[in-house]
């Protein structure tokens, strides 16, 4: 006997039904992947052909959306400057769970050709949890589609997502984020943050 929602006791038949329901939900989830339209490094240039008629990711249930509030996936498409990292963290934290991160290209894995740059991060997974890494510099749309197919397989199998890791290890991620961004992690949208008051332009 197993205790389920609201203390209800499930017998074996009901347990199987639950599994079937979960399987069905996961299957539907894997076939409706909403990707927030946001590009960071040079890999972003491969995203338009992936999502438009040339490679047509929508055939596999993968579509772009304009807001993180509706998105399941964010693609970090290459190197990340500290300034962009602030925005990526903000965007990721605005997305609803279950949510996933795809790291696109060598720069997201180990810094790539920016490995010794003074203002880019080296390993994306130290700052936000990465669910799928797609190798290459820059990875072609076929590689990105393969990454989506593997991510969909994991969703179908009900495997744990990075958002759970993020919640459980929030202290670890916040410590790493603060190391490069300082105590104030949130981006400021105040004009004076950009020194506009002193005559600078964006
Ligand atoms: S992996 Fe290559 S293509 Fe992608 S952001 Fe880095 S340098 Fe640019």
């Amino acid at each position: 006997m197993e205790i389920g929602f609201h203390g209800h006791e499930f017998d074996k038949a009901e347990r199987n039904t639950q599994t079937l329901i979960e399987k069905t939900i996961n299957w539907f989830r894997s076939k409706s992947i909403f990707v927030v339209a946001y590009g960071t490094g040079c890999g972003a240039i491969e995203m338009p052909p992936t999502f438009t008629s040339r490679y047509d990711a929508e055939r596999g249930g993968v579509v772009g959306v304009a807001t993180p509030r509706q998105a399941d996936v964010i693609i970090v498409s290459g190197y990340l400057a500290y300034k962009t990292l602030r925005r990526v963290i903000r965007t990721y934290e605005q997305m609803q769970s279950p949510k996933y991160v795809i790291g696109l290209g060598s720069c997201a894995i180990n810094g790539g050709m920016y490995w010794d740059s003074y203002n880019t991060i080296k390993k994306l997974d130290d700052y936000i949890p990465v669910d799928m890494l797609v190798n290459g510099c820059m990875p072609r749309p076929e590689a990105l589609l393969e990454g989506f197919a593997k991510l969909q397989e994991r969703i179908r199998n009900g495997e744990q997502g990075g958002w759970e890791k993020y919640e459980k290890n929030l202290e670890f991620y916040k410590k790493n984020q603060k190391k490069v961004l300082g105590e104030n992690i949130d981006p400021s949208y105040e004009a004076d943050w950009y020194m506009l008051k002193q005559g600078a332009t964006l």
Side-chain angles (χ1 to χ4, degrees):
M1 197 65 79
E2 187 178 307
I3 307 296
F5 297 118
H6 308 298
H8 176 73
E9 292 184 351
F10 291 118
D11 61 20
K12 200 172 171 208
E14 280 180 306
R15 264 208 318 274
N16 288 344
T17 314
Q18 281 299 109
T19 309
L20 186 64
I21 290 170
E22 279 165 15
K23 273 185 182 168
T24 311
I25 290 172
N26 287 336
W27 187 88
F28 280 116
R29 231 179 235 151
S30 76
K31 290 288 178 186
S32 59
I33 304 285
F34 288 11
V35 186
V36 64
Y38 184 62
T40 58
C42 10
I45 205 72
E46 298 293 343
M47 284 158 61
T50 306
F51 289 98
T52 52
S53 54
R54 180 76 171 88
Y55 289 91
D56 198 9
E58 198 169 339
R59 283 176 302 164
V62 181
V63 291
V65 288
T67 163
R69 303 278 183 195
Q70 296 171 345
D72 307 301
V73 171
I74 179 170
I75 301 175
V76 177
S77 50
Y79 64 83
L80 261 192
Y82 296 161
K83 190 174 170 182
T84 321
L85 176 65
R86 279 186 202 279
R87 273 73 189 173
V88 166
I89 294 166
R90 173 81 161 236
T91 306
Y92 178 69
E93 290 184 349
Q94 284 183 16
M95 291 163 62
Q96 309 285 318
S97 302
K99 57 186 174 183
Y100 306 90
V101 177
I102 293 182
L104 188 63
S106 318
C107 289
I109 300 170
N110 56 17
M113 68 159 72
Y114 298 92
W115 66 272
D116 63 346
S117 166
Y118 62 93
N119 71 340
T120 61
I121 60 164
K122 311 296 171 263
K123 190 179 165 200
L124 178 61
D125 203 34
D126 282 344
Y127 303 92
I128 53 171
V130 181
D131 294 278
M132 186 58 59
L133 284 163
V134 180
N135 199 11
C137 177
M138 59 186 56
R140 286 185 52 85
E142 292 92 331
L144 181 53
L145 289 176
E146 177 74 16
F148 274 120
K150 290 219 155 68
L151 182 65
Q152 286 172 309
E153 193 183 319
R154 287 180 52 184
I155 295 171
R156 259 196 313 278
N157 294 338
E159 287 178 35
Q160 195 192 36
W163 83 91
E164 289 164 296
K165 199 171 135 196
Y166 193 66
E167 281 171 16
K168 277 188 202 137
N169 304 292
L170 194 60
E171 221 171 280
F172 164 83
Y173 289 108
K174 288 294 161 194
K175 200 172 113 213
N176 291 341
Q177 292 168 5
K178 282 178 185 170
K179 240 188 243 172
V180 294
L181 302 177
E183 285 300 312
N184 187 14
I185 295 170
D186 279 341
S188 169
Y189 296 101
E190 299 294 324
D192 59 350
W193 194 79
Y194 291 102
M195 297 180 295
L196 290 183
K197 281 181 181 166
Q198 287 141 47
T201 52
L202 283 176

